């Protein structure tokens, strides 16, 4: 089955890269010409990728269609396109609800919402999938881990959680900047922090049955330095503030949905 992509921004490019890295199993991918530079670059890099003459040509030549345009322009981009009833439409558009996507893609009967992350390019992305769909889950399991959920509320919560990505990097940068202030060359400080974080992530992946709280306990000694920093952050309300920030993002999603 050929996969069509309407809109070729950064996330769409990451998906195409992740799917195309393995030449033996790479699906045929048909890109819209909307972002000509990115589309041409992907087609030049990967033999399985080609650029269609128009958005309608993408629909005509594909069975699964990824809609990766900005929500603000979705109506204008999709209004003149003729979808088929047998199209499987996969929406990457944040905020736009399932019913609204179905209306835009009518008469397509099969519509799925996903929120891929940039790390799909390295096949390490967690992707919420709503409603549960075996074909969409299989696709995004190739790009990391598909998390199928039963309700829009669950999907919105996972979507809101992606707002923490920049905060994770800012947390890491704070440590690296502090090390640099202690006389460590910044490249060495950055490498130290990135490697430490990779080790912690690997530990979490290899101990999938353990909660993050349990892993935190395993890395904490009573009266030790990890306990000291965690307690300091707790006393300052840092973790509570993070939860409040995610609450605010979730409210933004709900308000946008009306």
């Amino acid at each position: 089955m050929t996969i069509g992509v309407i809109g070729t921004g950064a996330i769409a490019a990451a998906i195409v890269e992740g799917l195309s890295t393995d030449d033996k199993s790479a699906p045929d991918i048909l890109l819209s010409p909307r972002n000509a530079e990115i589309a041409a670059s992907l087609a030049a890099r990967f033999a399985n990728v080609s650029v269609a003459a128009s958005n309608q040509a993408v629909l005509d030549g594909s069975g699964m269609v990824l809609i990766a345009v900005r929500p603000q322009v979705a109506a204008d981009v999709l209004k003149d396109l003729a979808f088929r009833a047998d199209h499987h439409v996969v929406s990457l558009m944040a905020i736009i609800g399932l019913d609204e996507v179905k209306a835009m893609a009518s008469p397509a009967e099969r519509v799925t919402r996903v929120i891929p992350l940039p790390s799909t390019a390295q096949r390490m992305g967690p992707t919420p999938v709503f409603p549960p769909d075996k074909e969409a889950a299989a696709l995004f399991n190739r790009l990391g881990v598909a998390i199928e959920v039963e309700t829009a509320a669950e999907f919105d919560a996972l979507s809101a959680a992606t707002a923490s990505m920049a905060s994770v990097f800012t947390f890491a940068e704070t440590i690296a900047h502090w090390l640099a202030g202690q006389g460590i060359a910044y490249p060495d400080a950055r490498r130290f922090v990135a490697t430490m974080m990779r080790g912690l992530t690997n530990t979490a992946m290899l101990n999938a049955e353990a909660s993050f709280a349990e892993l935190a306990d395993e890395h904490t000694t009573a009266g030790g330095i990890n306990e000291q920093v965690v307690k300091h952050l707790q006393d300052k309300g840092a973790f509570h503030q993070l939860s409040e920030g995610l609450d605010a993002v979730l409210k933004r999603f709900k308000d946008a949905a009306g």
Side-chain angles (χ1 to χ4, degrees):
M1 179 184 64
T2 297
I3 297 174
V5 184
I6 303 292
T8 45
I11 295 299
I15 292 171
V16 172
E17 182 174 348
L19 290 173
S20 304
T21 300
D22 186 351
D23 292 337
K24 295 181 180 179
S25 63
D28 290 331
I29 299 175
L30 190 57
L31 302 179
S32 74
R34 185 171 180 82
N35 190 321
E37 184 176 350
I38 293 178
S41 175
L42 291 168
R45 289 174 59 195
F46 303 113
N48 61 304
V49 178
S50 57
V51 182
S54 65
N55 286 340
Q56 186 59 53
V58 173
L59 296 185
D60 295 342
S62 60
M64 175 185 283
V65 185
L66 308 186
I67 307 297
V69 300
R70 291 183 294 112
Q72 298 91 327
V73 301
D76 287 337
V77 172
L78 302 181
K79 65 181 181 180
D80 295 325
L81 298 181
F83 287 85
R84 301 192 308 269
D86 66 339
H87 270 136
H88 182 183
V89 176
V90 180
S91 171
L92 284 65
M93 298 181 291
I95 299 177
I96 297 182
L98 192 66
D99 289 342
E100 190 173 354
V101 177
K102 287 181 176 179
M104 291 180 182
S106 179
E109 298 176 355
R110 190 176 179 186
V111 177
T112 310
R113 291 186 69 197
V114 298
I115 300 291
L117 303 183
S119 51
T120 54
Q122 292 81 45
R123 299 184 177 186
M124 298 177 65
T127 303
V129 176
F130 169 72
D133 184 277
K134 290 183 179 179
E135 189 175 40
L139 178 70
F140 287 98
N141 275 326
R142 293 179 60 178
L143 300 171
V145 178
I147 311 294
E148 297 180 87
V149 295
E150 298 285 346
T151 68
E154 292 173 298
F155 184 82
D156 286 345
L158 289 171
S159 300
T162 68
S164 64
M165 289 189 295
S167 297
V168 172
F169 283 120
T170 303
F171 187 88
E173 175 62 17
T174 301
I175 301 170
H177 183 75
W178 180 87
L179 284 171
Q182 311 310 308
I184 308 297
Y186 179 81
D188 290 337
R190 186 195 182 283
R191 185 162 58 250
F192 176 85
V193 175
T195 305
M196 178 175 68
M197 292 182 68
R198 181 175 64 183
L200 294 172
T201 300
N202 287 343
T203 297
M205 295 298 292
L206 292 171
N207 295 273
E209 299 304 316
S211 69
F212 288 117
E214 290 169 334
L215 293 175
D217 287 343
E218 290 180 9
H219 287 74
T220 301
T221 302
I225 58 176
N226 274 276
E227 181 184 68
Q228 179 179 341
V229 172
V230 167
K231 187 175 187 306
H232 175 80
L233 293 174
Q234 288 173 333
D235 290 345
K236 295 296 184 179
F239 302 120
H240 178 72
Q241 291 295 325
L242 175 59
S243 294
E244 286 194 345
L246 294 174
D247 285 341
V249 172
L250 185 57
K251 182 178 184 300
R252 179 177 173 183
F253 284 176
K254 292 178 179 178
D255 289 347

